[in-house]
Amino acid sequence: MSERPGGSSRVSVRATRRTGRARPAGAGSSRAGSARAGSSRAWPAAGSPRAWPWWAQAVAVFAAGRAVSAVILIVISRFQAENGWTTAKPSYLSYVGRMWDASWYEQIAYQGYPASLPIGADGVVQQNAWAFFPLFPGIVRALDVVTRLGWDVLAPTVALVAGAGAAVVIHRLVSVAGSRAVERRPGLPLATVAVVSFFPAAPVLQVAYTESLALLLVAGSLLLLARRRYEWAGVLVVVLGLTRGVALPIAAAVGWHLFRRFREGGLPTRDLARGAGLTGVAVVAGFAWPGICAWVIGDPQAYLRTQAAWRGGGGIVPVRPWFDVSQWLLGSWGPWLLVLIAAATAAMVLSPVARRLGPEMQAWSGAYLAYLVVTMPLTTSMIRYLLLAFPLGAVSVGWTRSRIWLWILLIGFVAGQAWWVWGLWRLTPPSGWPP
């Protein structure tokens, strides 16, 4: 079984230099004639993807990523053995709607949460539905009441639609909050969408998981924060608190946003109060689901005991499991490699490219990754969790204008998707590594 995680635009106008050369006689008519001669070729240019609205380009790139993932999922499903969730060689909808945690979300949608924690013969809490947040299965259940289309159709569809919305919001977020980065690297918003859409764990954006919805809410919260619409950002953060356990890092992003405004001399007292309120909302949202779990079960430690069940019954120990796992995998070199990776990641978060993305995305990236290290052990699920650190995708392509680098990255990511689905999503009974 898998581990649980605790999911105003500034425009630069460049002056153009006009020459004083006189126009040759007949130049006007010549240009008009050329325009008429080329009019038959004008419509393909106007209909090319580059001429589409920005949001349509973002959706198209996301759709291309999902098409690639669908092909990989369909091909590899032919090698899927029968397991506790699907038959051998399951259909596409069954494969993306029931495997792994998807079955837990389906159970929540139709059966709800247990009134008490299940206890094994050894007196230890067993794995149970309280590890999973309620918004995604609640949305699917509500849609099923209306449409009667069933979980296998609705759950992947909700994830797919939410992912498309996230692609649009990420594009807008990079354009608005990261306008300085876009000036240096035109096309960065769409390149960021491409990196997210083709990321090795991107197939999860079309399965019955909460990544798509969480990605949409995180990006939306950061966009509203960058636009200083603190009250609306608070609404999304509250919703995020019922989607995945990642609302707390938003508080750090708000704090850094306010500090930067204060340092630049543009933080009125009213905005300070509004921002402080948003910080408080993020903190409350971060503890809301564990609090609800404790209230329903009648045990203040109910959520932590549930989390421990998903970690083999061990206690919740911050940071140390990372070193233990790295040493188990690579021996004495493991912890040193872990430190090297941490240093490289910190360099990305603190890089000039990350700073040009704006304080909101930079702070979110650092705070979210630190939050994962503190609250989660090092498992194969970490690849999936990295999707929410999407601003680092902008950093990975924002340091150069080279299209060759972007294509190399995307081709490598597609190979990573094939590995992710084959090695993690595909289950060889009786057990496997969690995706």
Side-chain angles (χ1 to χ4, degrees):
M1 291 297 181
S2 59
E3 301 283 344
R4 301 297 92 230
S8 62
S9 177
R10 292 174 288 177
V11 180
S12 175
V13 181
R14 296 183 178 179
T16 57
R17 188 175 298 173
R18 298 181 181 273
T19 63
R21 291 177 293 180
R23 180 186 298 179
S29 59
S30 176
R31 290 181 181 179
S34 298
R36 287 192 297 271
S39 61
S40 60
R41 298 191 300 269
W43 70 267
S48 69
R50 292 185 180 182
W52 294 354
W54 64 268
W55 57 267
Q57 294 182 39
V59 172
V61 169
F62 177 79
R66 303 289 57 75
V68 169
S69 297
V71 171
I72 293 173
L73 285 161
I74 290 171
V75 170
I76 293 179
S77 69
R78 301 301 87 194
F79 299 89
Q80 176 61 62
E82 183 178 359
N83 56 80
W85 301 307
T86 70
T87 61
K89 300 180 179 180
S91 67
Y92 171 79
L93 288 179
S94 179
Y95 206 41
V96 299
R98 296 183 178 275
M99 289 291 291
W100 296 98
D101 295 347
S103 62
W104 283 99
Y105 287 116
E106 182 185 17
Q107 176 183 321
I108 293 167
Y110 296 100
Q111 301 177 27
Y113 293 90
S116 60
L117 298 182
I119 307 296
D122 55 1
V124 177
V125 172
Q126 297 178 315
Q127 295 175 350
N128 63 88
W130 282 105
F132 303 89
F133 287 61
L135 185 63
F136 176 77
I139 291 173
V140 177
R141 174 59 175 165
L143 291 173
D144 194 27
V145 169
V146 176
T147 65
R148 299 296 182 184
L149 291 176
W151 176 265
D152 287 359
V153 173
L154 291 173
T157 300
V158 169
L160 196 62
V161 171
V168 172
V169 176
I170 288 172
H171 189 291
R172 193 59 181 159
L173 173 62
V174 176
S175 301
V176 173
S179 58
R180 289 196 303 137
V182 176
E183 289 175 3
R184 293 193 173 222
R185 205 292 192 191
L188 182 60
L190 195 60
T192 304
V193 172
V195 168
V196 173
S197 300
F198 287 86
F199 188 71
V204 79
L205 299 176
Q206 62 204 81
V207 308
Y209 270 49
T210 60
E211 263 71 20
S212 293
L213 189 56
L215 190 63
L216 172 61
L217 293 170
V218 168
S221 299
L222 296 178
L223 177 58
L224 291 170
L225 175 62
R227 287 178 163 174
R228 305 176 185 178
R229 299 179 181 178
Y230 302 123
E231 291 80 8
W232 284 110
V235 173
L236 291 193
V237 171
V238 169
V239 177
L240 178 63
L242 298 175
T243 304
R244 284 184 73 86
V246 296
L248 277 177
I250 292 288
V254 178
W256 187 240
H257 162 90
L258 294 175
F259 174 76
R260 288 285 296 272
R261 284 195 64 187
F262 173 77
R263 191 176 65 177
E264 295 167 2
L267 183 60
T269 303
R270 181 173 179 271
D271 282 0
L272 175 60
R274 294 166 62 217
L278 176 57
T279 304
V281 167
V283 172
V284 171
F287 290 101
W289 185 242
I292 293 171
C293 179
W295 177 66
V296 173
I297 299 298
D299 177 2
Q301 300 296 315
Y303 184 74
L304 291 179
R305 295 174 69 191
T306 294
Q307 288 293 322
W310 288 95
R311 304 183 188 190
I316 308 298
V317 180
V319 182
R320 180 180 171 182
W322 286 69
F323 291 95
D324 292 342
V325 172
S326 65
Q327 189 167 15
W328 175 70
L329 290 173
L330 301 172
S332 60
W333 289 99
W336 290 106
L337 179 60
L338 192 64
V339 170
L340 182 62
I341 293 173
T345 304
M348 289 185 69
V349 173
L350 299 175
S351 68
V353 179
R355 288 197 298 271
R356 288 193 291 268
L357 287 174
E360 301 80 17
M361 280 189 281
Q362 184 184 25
W364 163 258
S365 300
Y368 173 65
L369 293 176
Y371 177 78
L372 288 180
V373 172
V374 171
T375 62
M376 293 299 303
L378 179 59
T379 71
T380 46
S381 295
M382 199 57 59
I383 304 169
R384 171 167 57 90
Y385 301 158
L386 290 178
L387 268 171
L388 293 184
F390 65 90
L392 294 186
V395 175
S396 69
V397 294
W399 63 275
T400 176
R401 297 188 180 190
S402 171
R403 293 185 180 179
I404 295 177
W405 167 246
L406 175 61
W407 279 107
I408 291 174
L409 202 61
L410 296 183
I411 292 171
F413 281 176
V414 171
Q417 285 193 38
W419 168 83
W420 190 85
V421 177
W422 176 265
L424 299 179
W425 193 257
R426 183 181 65 95
L427 174 64
T428 302
S431 63
W433 295 101

